[in-house]
Amino acid sequence: MLIKRTHQHSQRHGSVAESLAGQAGGLDRRSFLRKSGLAGGALAALGTMPVGSVRKAEAAMAGPLTTGATVRKSICTHCSVGCTVTAEVLNGVWIGQEPSWDSPINRGSHCAKGASVRELVHSERRLRYPMKLVDGQWTRVSWDTAINEIGDKLQTVREKSGPDSVYWLGSAKMTNEGAYLFRKLGAFWGTNNTDHQARICHSTTVTGVANTWGYGAMTNSYNDIRNAKTQVILGGNPAEAHPVSLQHLLEGKELQKANFVVIDPRLTRTAAHATEYVRMRPGTDIPVLYGMMWHILQNGWEEKEFIRQRVYGFDDLKKEVEKWPPDEVERVTGIPGEQLKRVAKMFATEKPATLIWAMGQTQKTVGTANVRASCIALLMTGNVGKAGAGANIFRGHDNVQGATDVGLDIVTLPFYYGLAEGAWKHWSRVWEVDYDFLKSRFDSKQIMETPGIPLTRWFEAVTLPKDQVAQKDNVKAVFVQGHASNSITRIPESLKGLKALELLVIADPHPTTWASLAVEAGRRDGIYILPVATQFECKGSRVASNRSLQWGEQIVKPIFESKDDLEVIYRMAKKLGFADQMFKKIKVENNLPEAEDVLREMNRGSWSTGYCGQSPERLKAHMKNQAKFDMLTMRAPKDDPEVGGDYYGLPWPCWGSPEVKHPGTPLLYNTNLHVMDGGGTFRPRFGIEREEKLPDGTTRKVSLLADGSYSLGSGIQDGYPEFTLASLKKLGWDTDLTEAEMAVINKINPANPDTVSWALDLSGGIQRVALAHGCVPYGNGKARMNAFGLPDPIPVHREPIYTPRVDLVAKYPTLPDAKQFRMPNIGFSVQKAAVEKGIAKQFPLILSSGRLVEYEGGGEETRTNPWLAELQQDMFIEINPGDAADRGIKDGGWVWVTGAENNSRARMKALVTERVGKGVAWMPFHFGGWFAGKDLRGNYPKGTDPIVLGESANTITTYGYDPATGMQEPKVTLCQIAAA
């Protein structure tokens, strides 16, 4: 991994590799790891050493370390921490790799996955050329043939069944530019059936958090957690899922003498570091949080003035919290009241305190409500909008935040503009195409403004009766570019969808389980595989979890016949007949769109989210000057000529055009800073007042604007609505607009230019003027404890669809059946049937799932990497010793795991451990290539099968969807385990 291929003797003066190699006279990797005592994730520990123990002079060396080599920087392609990878390239070959010592994020450290990313490019198991399945045999075809045949088939499907019958499944592995173009491709094709991994990891976060205070993203940063006095981790395991982030958490814990509280059903590697570990029953996050809030209110620990000035709906919230005294919380969650009181006191009084979560909260039928409850806990204690506090939401993939922001989603156009007519007209102006042309591409204006089908339910969109899918016809074709199929629940049901499709296209560096499962489903034709380059063979921007954008250089050119994501998208658009319109403002050479031009187009349209200030030039300057950014504040010195005063990566919102030089916003909603220093307020997205009914039947209007709270230096010292031309005129600030800016505003809405807002003004003038007066362009409102408009405006505990606690279902049922996202959600009926049939007696163990440090996502890429495959060779299930003894199961023995639906079963090894409590089992979700005990290695094209195969956890997972997002429920279901 860190050893060169050119010669054994390392030139990296002062490096660990060199010192060990010097002792042994040259080592291969295995010997290096054995002799150094390092294995797997332990490599990440190198990055957590005290800074003083690093030989700074050598570590900070810049430039090529091999004669004639060049150094290029990119971003690790795995989790969302955003680690910089420094590559040495010689004669077009990637010969050496180091973690970047200059990066303020990873500071010279990598985890096992990051340390081995060079293998992703060099892998001999990658796809080398396009292929199609012909009579059950994988057959090589040319790119031109593949694109022509795919395009012809898509057009045939469109003519018969309409544009919505094609499902476009994109990727969090794409750059911002790739994800943006993929969503744009869907728009020009004429569908909102465009989705990516965020649906199954943090769609509930985006919806829940945005509906609370304005934007659905991490409020602070990994680095800022160092400032916290109390860290509460509920629904996350960063030691394995985000290993390099742990240096910030653990160093912060030591330096601040901070409380480190982990609330989790499983004693994870993160929990091993806890000052307080709290074991909870899976699926009871809301009772846990309400249990904390109950103690906070009983003791008067809430932040009263913060609530008065900046929060709406507190009285409504209190009524729900009162239902959760300690005895009821313990009955439902299993947590003793005194322990939760202790945690609540730390969180409310030993501040700043932060709440950290990942998919442990989000991947549930109540995922949106869960994250809303977390936000409410932060609001109640005033732990938002300041250093060391906030909602530190650890996203999954390297660009899942960015892909979400740029609109690769079923519910919105880029940058959260939504799907209403005004949003389409905004983007038609940005794209310089006629709105009526875009409308003509859809089956109707109504469907154009209707959210698409979540990827969690793509297979049901294929197999359900036509009258149950609210579009012209069922889904007939799936084009998937960079998404694993084994990450989606209910695999036995998905096999039915795979078999029924008329066309399946897989564009990826690897065939993935889409290919192996489709063949297992009985397909003998109608599948194409297109070899796509890794992100190290492309260039472009990606967004870390803290909203920072980083520019990755192309390290080497695509190997074999692989193509950049952007080229694949362009070739498809060209074949489908709309490339000229789609790429009107984007330079294209040899079928490859210029990534910088794509970002500039995004800048021109992204005023709503503040992606408008991060030009390619500014991002490249940040990568060049990484060493100048302070590790704790993430800010560069104000007197630096290139990046002076900027926060690293210009975390959005970065207001105004690039020329405004906004520094980015490191901490959202921070009123202690001027807006031009990164300050902000809560966003009034839901009106400026609300009519409420009183007990006597009368009504009153309540303001949703902040009361006496405002950001430092604000020209309006109270709450205020979003800025429009009309509001500038009312304030007398419209005279600050230039003639050119007014011309653009008038062109946007000639009939009524006063209505043009900060988010629709393509000149940037309205934003510029608001900033000049110290105001936030979107306004200054109150965060919402009562998020009217959501299925549960105040979060409500609802038992999982498959729960072992059938005694609680009557009091805490799931929501009634309803039609959502074009399809029926019958969770209530499924839960009712499970209770009536006694499913919990047949399948008495709660099953949860999660990450390993060695693998990532669906795992096909990382299980193909020999350095990682060596570290985790078998799929397994964790089972408590008591449960194992009851079943005659031995540690390391083979077992059958059976699920509550589809007679599902999976064969794997047992890990008998007290990590899980009695009655709970846990699986990693990265495995694939087996199904129901059968090895599917022969289903892959020859030579492309991953080194390690295993059963998928999602073979066992079951029905359950969050009503606000379509999120699946892989974190809590039921199973049975028996010795094989």
Side-chain angles (χ1 to χ4, degrees), residues 339-597:
Q339 184 178 32
L340 208 53
K341 180 180 180 180
R342 190 161 61 243
V343 172
K345 186 175 183 181
M346 293 177 208
F347 185 70
T349 66
E350 298 181 44
K351 299 193 288 190
T354 181
L355 242 174
I356 297 167
W357 74 82
M359 295 191 296
Q361 281 198 43
T362 64
Q363 287 186 326
K364 292 166 183 168
T365 54
V366 290
T368 298
N370 282 345
V371 302
R372 286 259 307 118
S374 289
C375 293
I376 288 167
L378 291 162
L379 290 170
M380 182 180 285
T381 54
N383 276 307
V384 190
K386 59 187 178 184
N392 280 301
I393 304 153
F394 288 15
R395 301 298 297 261
H397 293 277
D398 61 310
N399 198 37
V400 71
Q401 182 65 57
T404 306
D405 298 336
V406 304
L408 186 38
D409 198 301
I410 60 171
V411 301
T412 185
L413 284 162
F415 305 105
Y416 311 105
Y417 278 86
L419 294 172
E421 180 179 310
W424 283 103
K425 287 186 173 178
H426 168 73
W427 282 102
S428 69
R429 289 190 291 269
V430 176
W431 296 334
E432 297 187 12
V433 297
D434 189 74
Y435 165 74
D436 288 332
F437 164 74
L438 290 174
K439 188 170 67 172
S440 73
R441 300 295 297 164
F442 287 78
D443 276 330
S444 68
K445 182 176 185 295
Q446 180 185 8
I447 204 80
M448 182 185 193
E449 297 172 8
T450 300
I453 295 168
L455 71 85
T456 50
R457 309 194 66 187
W458 75 265
F459 48 88
E460 288 184 301
V462 179
T463 59
L464 280 176
K466 185 175 176 179
D467 62 357
Q468 292 187 31
V469 184
Q471 57 185 42
K472 182 178 178 180
D473 202 349
N474 294 76
V475 167
K476 303 291 184 181
V478 171
F479 190 110
V480 54
Q481 189 162 333
H483 195 297
S485 71
N486 57 317
S487 295
I488 305 169
T489 55
R490 304 171 65 206
I491 285 177
E493 287 293 321
S494 76
L495 262 67
K496 300 172 187 176
L498 287 168
K499 185 175 183 179
L501 285 173
E502 294 182 21
L503 175 68
L504 173 63
V505 181
I506 306 159
D508 200 276
H510 301 271
T512 77
T513 53
W514 286 98
S516 60
L517 289 173
V519 172
E520 184 61 20
R523 294 199 70 92
R524 297 185 60 80
D525 53 31
I527 307 178
Y528 290 81
I529 305 179
L530 305 178
V532 171
T534 69
Q535 290 310 307
F536 299 109
E537 298 155 90
C538 310
K539 63 177 177 178
S541 62
R542 276 171 274 175
V543 185
S545 212
N546 69 314
R547 296 167 286 105
S548 284
L549 280 72
Q550 299 182 93
W551 187 268
E553 296 177 279
Q554 183 186 54
I555 291 178
V556 291
K557 293 186 181 299
I559 65 168
F560 307 126
E561 294 183 23
S562 298
K563 303 290 186 187
D564 189 310
D565 282 312
L566 276 61
E567 181 173 348
V568 176
I569 294 166
Y570 177 77
R571 282 173 171 255
M572 286 307 307
K574 188 175 179 181
K575 171 62 181 176
L576 297 172
F578 47 74
D580 289 347
Q581 298 103 310
M582 183 172 163
F583 292 89
K584 181 181 288 188
K585 303 293 290 185
I586 297 168
K587 182 181 178 182
V588 179
E589 281 192 15
N590 298 321
N591 293 319
L592 178 62
E594 184 67 43
E596 289 87 347
D597 263 10

Side-chain angles (χ1 to χ4, degrees), residues 707-746:
D707 184 1
S709 171
Y710 46 89
S711 54
L712 183 69
S714 174
I716 304 174
Q717 299 194 349
D718 205 351
Y720 51 90
E722 66 172 355
F723 279 87
T724 62
L725 179 59
S727 60
L728 290 186
K729 287 181 176 179
K730 188 175 181 179
L731 293 162
W733 297 351
D734 60 306
T735 56
D736 295 351
L737 292 167
T738 67
E739 196 173 308
E741 289 167 344
M742 275 303 305
V744 173
I745 292 168
N746 283 314

